[in-house]
Amino acid sequence: MIGPVAGRLFSADWFSHGEEFPWSTVEIVSISEAIMALGSYPKEHSFSNLIDTLKSEKHEDRKYFSPAKLQDPRYDELPLSIRVLLEAAIRKCDDFYVRKEDVETILDWRRQQGSAEVPFSPARLLLQDFTGIPAMVDLAAMRDAVARQGGDPSQVNPKCPTDLIVDHALQIDFGKCAIQNAPNPGGGDSQATPVKSTPAKPRGCGPQRSCSKGACNDPPSTSAPAAAVQIENTPLLCPFHLQPVFEPEIALKNQEKELIRNRERLQFFKWCSQAFKNVNVVPPDISAVHQVNLEYLCQAVQEHEDFVYPDSVVGTDSHTTMVNGLGILGWGVGGIESEAVMLGQPVTLTLPKVVGCKLLGSVNVLATSIDIVLGITKHLRQAGISGKFVEFFGPGVSQLSAPDRTTIANMCPEYNATVSFFPVDDVTLKHFKQANFSEEKLELVEAYLKAVKLFRSYQDLGEDPHYSEVIEIDLSSIVPHVSGPKRSQDRVEVSNMKKDFLNCLNEKVGFKGFHIPVEKQTTLMPFLHGSREYQLTHGSVVLAALISCTNNCNPSVMLAAGLLAKKAVGAGLSVRPYIQTSLAPGSGMVTHYLSASGVLPYFSQLGFEVVGYGCATCVGNTSPLPEAVVNAIKQGDLVACGVLSGSRHFEGRLCDCVRANYLASPPLVVAYAIAGTVSIDFETEPLGLTPEGKEVYLRDVWPSREEVQHTEENMVISSIFRELREKMKRGNKLWKDLEASEAELFPWDPKSTYIRCPPFFNKLTKELCEPQPMENAHALLFLGDMVTTDHISPAGSIARVSAAAKYLQSKRLTPREFNSYGARRGNDAVMTRGTFASIKLQNRFVGKAGPKTLHVPSGQIMDVFDAAERYQRDGIPLIILAGKKYGSGNSRDWAAKGPYLLGVRAVIAESFEKLHKNHLVAMGIAPLQFLPGQSADSLELSGKEKFSLCIPKDLSPGQEITVKTSTGKTFQVIASFENAVDMVFYKHGGILKFVARNALP
């Protein structure tokens, strides 16, 4: 007999699976799943009266749940994103996870928004490898725990279709031109050795020649333009002949290096694809996670047997929100929540307020989609929409292409919205046609979405629903901007960039300032690169990266950058050879259309070589700058700059010595790389000089909107989507040849430094242990405001003097073998030691930035991990004191897992970022909030006191808890739990133990 908790945990994931889900493999673990396995809805389904049949000649056999049959006028007033939540609640209503009251709550959205809790079961789950590997490692460890307690480990499987995309492993080991002995138009030093490969048939320049070794002596071919070249597997082009070389050598070299470096992780992923049912792993070098989601996985409308329903997704990548641009509801969750979704639990969320964003006016001809994104970001961030849905409407929406919409939707985490939703309209349908949806599929999508009123005509004001509030944005007011130098919300008009940067030099150290003395602001530092002398000064660009985030889904901006590069090369301009340039598309599709349009060789001539596919510079995986450049920066104490076309640029993330980092559109990245400085007024100062000494301005090489649109219309066609599908079918040979265990339980290797069985289940018991009061706890850290998950959770490279480095050295690894924190997220020993290891962490115990803290009993300053280990050895519980917005930034599960393994059991802060607070709860860490108006300073806390927390057994959300200190001070804090589900997770010691405990017999 299955109890109510277990029944709810493993109840049926009704009709959330895609067409190809192997239903014959589903384990029957509840009565509702047994009914589901019969292949039809049970007669007792609460809303079986809402089942209807599509009124379509080709789809008469398709059934669906029709909310319109409720005959409730409130449905027509709902925002379309809320209608998706309502449909899922109706379809999933099983009196376990979803009750009739939940359906009524959503239908009563206008009164319940912002307060009521509702469940949402997405159609599918999306994982990327950095955050996916901890989730899969935890599932593997959970299998072990269930087996130890006498349960059946094969029952631990994802119940929701799960796609895991291996895309974040790429590090740039090889860049610039990898072709030996060839002139390097970009000017960079060529140190890479070409990969020797034997293709099935020659594809080189000329009848019998290849450009894979040295420059060809043949004159450039004029027989066929580059745009007419048949593109196969997106190769690089010879910069001399504009013809394909044998292999994309740089990408291959990085890919082979990646396989060697990440073999253990990849073997684990392959084991997951074989051992776990309902898991699909997309191997490395196929595409970035958000691109696979947009180009391959999204269905707009899902089908199972005779039923259809809206496509929806949650994912562990912050770019999951991009699919909202295609009318597919989806958002990012942490690895902890993803594990719950994998096991069939719905996502519980507060019924969101929905901000209607009305777009008016016409797009400025000089503004790119990035400018529009940053313009909308500024408006919405100022509006204070944290935790809300944003839904776009108004006549201006029709001017935005589907790629424009996904670009805008991608950035919603930057203004703290949960989603930015663009309902499907005719523009979206045209995009799906480009994406190779069949005519039958297109007809089904249109017929179903219109039947359930999820299809929009933005010109029809009568279709506008009610919103919580409406914000109007005039698109014609948006002008080109960049963002920085430290935060994405600090936007700077390009026309004001030089003045703003000089102001940053003068300002005191902060979010915008560097406090450089006036007499040192004109410092020039000479250095040798190759055999030539160059000079660096404040504002010099030393790193310019065209990367995947935000841009590869929108061909217009990448094509604009390519056309600018083409014009610049034609004018005789170049990029200084010491600047670290790279082109890391998130998808082979990008390389495909850049090649087909003929602009890729011009990128190459400016030094922007394709280095591979996946997240690279954006997540801190960049190759080192030339030593002479680093020395010049340090000796001159220069504010050197990085410019990138991504969506992340926290201070110090790209490179320790690059203090100013700006987000910019791809054409502006190229422009600043050519200029060699961000301290330039493009209106009055030239980018550079022609060989004849003529000044060339940005306006001379900036492509017109008509040029970009013409190129996009002629090059961005359905073949780019077919290319990805064909690449998915071909797969990755290195992946196919990789050996992996086929055992039911993962064979943990005690010597592995990548994959370790985490200790979360070491003390798992069948019985629930009530939370205990915390007596004489010490503060591990005393932090200020705006501590981000970048400060808490490790990312990027592993510093040689860090606690994680010491651990890896004890395993006889050299610094060259450290790899990155992201690559080692499956090893709790590394990740725990990396927690709070940021060089930018400001701990008030220490007084200067760095990963150090005070061990209060001894008075010693030591690494955070060493102090925590010492506290745990002495049996002392730990808390963290913090200021406002603790845990802001992009979500990371290790930002909660790491502190938990350090021994932290509570965080007392002035306020929390909502998603991170949820993660703390999910790990069994209590989020406690100072009373309004109070803080550690107002209470005169030094942080060195002992803290005793009186946590009652009947603890409830919002309850006040008494904290007593060893100095005799007593104060109250608020238990910042949101609902009863939070309390269940906390009392179980976190969601992992809750899930595992309910899987036991």
Side-chain angles (χ1 to χ4, degrees):
M1 182 68 182
I2 297 176
V5 176
R8 289 175 63 87
L9 180 64
F10 293 105
S11 62
D13 191 18
W14 284 345
F15 290 87
S16 68
H17 302 288
E19 307 173 58
E20 301 178 1
F21 180 68
W23 283 97
S24 61
T25 64
V26 177
E27 300 88 4
I28 307 303
V29 293
S30 74
I31 296 174
S32 56
E33 280 193 339
I35 297 172
M36 182 58 204
L38 297 177
S40 62
Y41 279 98
K43 293 180 180 179
E44 63 269 27
H45 189 282
S46 301
F47 294 98
S48 58
N49 62 306
L50 301 185
I51 296 176
D52 205 345
T53 303
L54 278 180
K55 305 298 187 292
S56 171
E57 292 182 5
K58 293 186 178 180
H59 306 290
E60 291 181 352
D61 58 336
R62 299 298 203 279
K63 297 178 182 178
Y64 66 99
F65 280 87
S66 174
K69 294 185 73 173
L70 289 168
Q71 296 182 340
D72 192 316
R74 292 177 295 178
Y75 181 73
D76 292 338
E77 298 176 350
L78 292 177
L80 276 70
S81 52
I82 300 299
R83 296 179 197 181
V84 177
L85 295 181
L86 179 65
E87 188 282 337
I90 290 172
R91 177 168 42 89
K92 296 284 185 176
C93 189
D94 59 0
D95 293 324
F96 282 101
Y97 283 132
V98 185
R99 300 164 298 171
K100 287 183 179 180
E101 302 93 280
D102 296 319
V103 173
E104 171 58 29
T105 296
I106 299 173
L107 193 59
D108 195 30
W109 169 80
R110 293 188 67 179
R111 290 198 305 168
Q112 301 288 345
Q113 58 179 300
S115 58
E117 296 289 329
V118 295
F120 175 60
S121 296
R124 52 191 175 88
L125 175 67
L126 186 70
L127 303 175
Q128 50 96 325
D129 54 333
F130 271 17
T131 47
I133 194 169
M136 302 310 291
V137 165
D138 288 346
L139 280 183
M142 192 182 296
R143 276 195 167 190
D144 288 356
V146 170
R148 286 196 300 269
Q149 294 288 341
D152 182 358
S154 67
Q155 298 297 313
V156 179
N157 284 296
K159 303 296 179 182
C160 181
T162 301
D163 296 285
L164 191 153
I165 292 85
V166 185
D167 72 325
H168 276 56
L170 178 66
Q171 292 189 44
I172 303 175
D173 295 285
F174 305 100
K176 295 286 187 180
C177 184
I179 302 174
Q180 283 188 325
N181 305 320
N184 186 353
D189 296 331
S190 177
Q191 300 176 351
T193 303
V195 176
K196 295 182 180 180
S197 58
T198 306
K201 56 182 179 180
R203 292 191 284 115
C205 302
Q208 301 295 331
R209 291 183 175 89
S210 164
C211 287
S212 62
K213 294 184 179 180
C216 296
N217 296 319
D218 296 340
S221 171
T222 58
S223 60
V229 174
Q230 178 65 37
I231 305 300
E232 180 181 343
N233 201 21
T234 63
L236 294 181
L237 303 183
C238 167
F240 304 97
H241 298 150
L242 307 186
Q243 300 288 323
V245 298
F246 270 129
E247 294 290 345
E249 295 177 358
I250 297 176
L252 278 178
K253 288 174 70 63
N254 280 305
Q255 182 189 137
E256 291 181 3
K257 186 75 173 178
E258 175 186 333
L259 179 65
I260 295 171
R261 179 189 290 122
N262 296 291
R263 179 177 294 274
E264 288 183 42
R265 295 173 61 244
L266 296 177
Q267 286 178 322
F268 174 72
F269 284 141
K270 194 161 187 179
W271 173 81
C272 290
S273 68
Q274 297 169 167
F276 290 119
K277 298 170 183 177
N278 214 14
V279 171
N280 171 50
V281 177
V282 177
D285 206 49
I286 295 294
S287 188
V289 55
H290 42 289
Q291 284 306 120
V292 175
N293 194 20
L294 286 173
E295 300 165 19
Y296 187 76
L297 299 176
C298 72
Q299 295 296 313
V301 171
Q302 292 279 1
E303 300 178 67
H304 175 67
E305 295 184 347
D306 295 335
F307 277 82
V308 292
Y309 51 94
D311 190 10
S312 59
V313 60
V314 294
T316 59
D317 185 79
S318 59
H319 301 289
T320 303
T321 54
M322 294 181 83
V323 298
N324 290 279
L326 301 179
I328 298 168
L329 188 64
W331 61 85
V333 296
I336 299 169
E337 295 102 318
S338 70
E339 292 171 39
V341 172
M342 281 193 292
L343 290 176
Q345 289 187 284
V347 176
T348 300
L349 72 157
T350 301
L351 188 60
K353 294 183 177 181
V354 181
V355 177
C357 186
K358 189 173 186 177
L359 301 183
L360 303 167
S362 301
V363 177
N364 188 303
V365 292
L366 295 179
T368 67
S369 60
I370 306 305
D371 298 314
I372 296 171
V373 166
L374 296 177
I376 291 174
T377 297
K378 178 182 178 181
H379 282 284
L380 296 181
R381 199 172 188 95
Q382 291 174 343
I385 57 173
S386 178
K388 300 176 184 178
F389 281 13
V390 175
E391 187 166 302
F392 291 86
F393 73 112
V397 177
S398 299
Q399 300 178 53
L400 303 179
S401 67
D404 285 337
R405 298 175 190 187
T406 58
T407 307
I408 293 167
N410 174 57
M411 290 292 279
C412 79
E414 295 299 330
Y415 42 82
N416 291 324
T418 303
V419 299
S420 291
F421 190 74
F422 288 83
V424 174
D425 66 345
D426 289 327
V427 173
T428 321
L429 288 183
K430 290 178 182 178
H431 174 79
F432 288 142
K433 186 173 183 179
Q434 265 193 340
N436 293 317
F437 275 31
S438 66
E439 288 297 328
E440 183 179 356
K441 177 72 173 181
L442 286 170
E443 289 179 12
L444 174 64
V445 170
E446 184 173 2
Y448 171 71
L449 294 180
K450 286 183 175 179
V452 293
K453 298 183 179 180
L454 288 173
F455 192 89
R456 276 235 55 178
S457 170
Y458 290 106
Q459 305 303 323
D460 186 351
L461 301 181
E463 292 185 5
D464 291 350
H466 288 282
Y467 292 108
S468 307
E469 60 181 294
V470 173
I471 298 173
E472 292 189 356
I473 298 178
D474 185 354
L475 295 177
S476 62
S477 67
I478 296 175
V479 296
H481 283 76
V482 296
S483 178
K486 300 179 182 181
R487 304 187 305 175
S488 57
Q489 63 264 38
D490 296 325
R491 300 175 65 242
V492 185
E493 289 188 19
V494 173
S495 59
N496 195 42
M497 179 64 171
K498 182 175 183 177
K499 180 180 178 180
D500 187 83
F501 179 75
L502 294 177
N503 288 339
C504 289
L505 295 182
N506 290 314
E507 290 291 329
K508 64 180 181 179
V509 175
F511 293 132
K512 290 275 289 183
F514 298 100
H515 196 58
I516 303 298
V518 176
E519 65 274 12
K520 293 185 178 181
Q521 291 181 12
T522 57
T523 299
L524 292 175
M525 292 301 301
F527 68 97
L528 288 176
H529 183 78
S531 58
R532 184 176 172 183
E533 183 176 286
Y534 298 90
Q535 289 182 328
L536 290 180
T537 187
H538 297 290
S540 291
V541 173
V542 295
L543 190 154
L546 293 171
I547 56 181
S548 64
C549 301
T550 307
N551 305 310
N552 56 349
C553 68
N554 195 325
S556 65
V557 287
M558 294 299 283
L559 288 172
L563 291 172
L564 189 150
K566 180 179 180 179
K567 289 188 173 187
V569 170
L573 302 181
S574 62
V575 174
R576 293 166 179 81
Y578 59 81
I579 297 177
Q580 185 71 264
T581 52
S582 62
L583 172 56
S587 168
M589 177 196 80
V590 183
T591 314
H592 181 98
Y593 67 67
L594 292 178
S595 298
S597 62
V599 299
L600 192 60
Y602 301 102
F603 274 131
S604 177
Q605 289 185 61
L606 292 181
F608 291 95
E609 297 280 355
V610 176
V611 296
Y613 302 97
C615 292
T617 305
C618 195
V619 292
N621 289 343
T622 185
S623 55
L625 296 176
E627 186 175 352
V629 172
V630 174
N631 291 338
I633 294 172
K634 291 181 177 179
Q635 291 172 14
D637 190 26
L638 300 179
V639 180
C641 298
V643 187
L644 64 155
S645 59
S647 61
R648 292 285 187 271
H649 68 332
F650 293 117
E651 184 180 9
R653 191 178 202 185
L654 305 187
C655 182
D656 291 348
C657 63
V658 181
R659 293 156 67 183
N661 298 300
Y662 288 92
L663 302 182
S665 65
L668 283 177
V669 170
V670 176
Y672 280 115
I674 294 171
T677 180
V678 300
S679 184
I680 181 175
D681 183 346
F682 286 131
E683 287 292 324
T684 61
E685 297 178 73
L687 282 179
L689 304 176
T690 67
E692 296 75 28
K694 180 183 177 182
E695 292 181 340
V696 179
Y697 290 82
L698 179 61
R699 57 180 172 269
D700 298 326
V701 294
W702 188 271
S704 69
R705 193 171 185 83
E706 291 73 23
E707 287 178 277
V708 175
Q709 289 177 343
H710 175 77
T711 306
E712 184 177 10
E713 289 169 2
N714 284 274
M715 303 304 171
V716 184
I717 54 178
S718 60
S719 63
I720 61 179
F721 294 96
R722 283 200 302 268
E723 174 68 20
L724 176 62
R725 293 176 184 275
E726 290 170 3
K727 196 170 185 179
M728 293 286 289
K729 290 178 182 177
R730 289 194 301 267
N732 184 307
K733 185 178 185 303
L734 297 175
W735 172 263
K736 290 178 179 178
D737 294 341
L738 195 65
E739 294 183 359
S741 170
E742 297 181 1
E744 190 175 74
L745 299 178
F746 183 70
W748 307 98
D749 181 359
K751 297 181 180 179
S752 174
T753 57
Y754 279 96
I755 308 295
R756 252 175 56 120
C757 185
F760 300 123
F761 306 101
N762 285 358
K763 297 180 180 180
L764 179 68
T765 60
K766 294 183 180 182
E767 298 76 24
L768 177 63
C769 299
E770 295 289 344
Q772 300 297 318
M774 279 180 259
E775 300 288 343
N776 297 319
H778 273 293
L780 177 63
L781 296 161
F782 191 6
L783 305 173
D785 296 340
M786 290 295 292
V787 174
T788 71
T789 50
D790 260 38
H791 293 114
I792 306 170
S793 178
S797 60
I798 298 173
R800 298 189 179 191
V801 295
S802 64
K806 295 173 186 176
Y807 166 80
L808 293 174
Q809 286 171 337
S810 73
K811 300 296 182 180
R812 300 184 179 180
L813 295 183
T814 65
R816 287 178 176 270
E817 299 170 306
F818 284 175
N819 208 331
S820 66
Y821 280 115
R824 294 190 181 275
R825 290 175 83 99
N827 185 330
D828 64 277
V830 171
M831 300 305 289
T832 306
R833 286 166 172 81
T835 304
F836 296 110
S838 170
I839 60 172
K840 300 297 181 181
L841 180 71
Q842 295 284 350
N843 181 10
R844 294 172 64 176
F845 279 151
V846 180
K848 62 180 180 179
K852 300 287 184 179
T853 195
L854 171 70
H855 180 256
V856 176
S858 67
Q860 291 181 286
I861 300 295
M862 57 182 65
D863 286 341
V864 174
F865 173 81
D866 293 336
E869 189 177 44
R870 191 165 174 180
Y871 279 125
Q872 289 198 63
R873 190 168 56 244
D874 295 338
I876 298 174
L878 296 175
I879 65 169
I880 289 174
L881 295 176
K884 300 180 182 69
K885 285 289 183 181
Y886 179 78
S888 58
N890 54 324
S891 69
R892 292 201 182 125
D893 55 336
W894 273 106
K897 287 182 177 179
Y900 175 83
L901 292 181
L902 287 175
V904 174
R905 292 298 175 264
V907 177
I908 304 177
E910 292 179 60
S911 63
F912 294 87
E913 190 72 13
K914 183 177 185 297
L915 185 57
H916 181 63
K917 182 179 70 172
N918 293 343
H919 287 187
L920 293 176
V921 174
M923 285 310 303
I925 297 176
L928 307 177
Q929 195 164 329
F930 289 109
L931 296 181
Q934 292 188 354
S935 66
D937 289 337
S938 70
L939 293 170
E940 299 181 345
L941 300 177
S942 69
K944 299 177 183 179
E945 304 92 341
K946 294 180 182 179
F947 298 84
S948 295
L949 285 70
C950 305
I951 300 179
K953 292 184 179 181
D954 59 348
L955 181 65
S956 60
Q959 184 175 345
E960 291 190 6
I961 294 175
T962 300
V963 181
K964 298 179 181 179
T965 70
S966 55
T967 60
K969 187 182 296 294
T970 300
F971 59 95
Q972 303 293 115
V973 294
I974 300 170
S976 191
F977 300 96
E978 295 185 359
N979 49 51
V981 175
D982 278 1
M983 299 312 309
V984 170
F985 290 161
Y986 178 69
K987 291 178 179 180
H988 274 265
I991 190 172
L992 296 178
K993 292 180 180 176
F994 168 75
V995 172
R997 189 169 281 123
N998 283 285
L1000 298 178

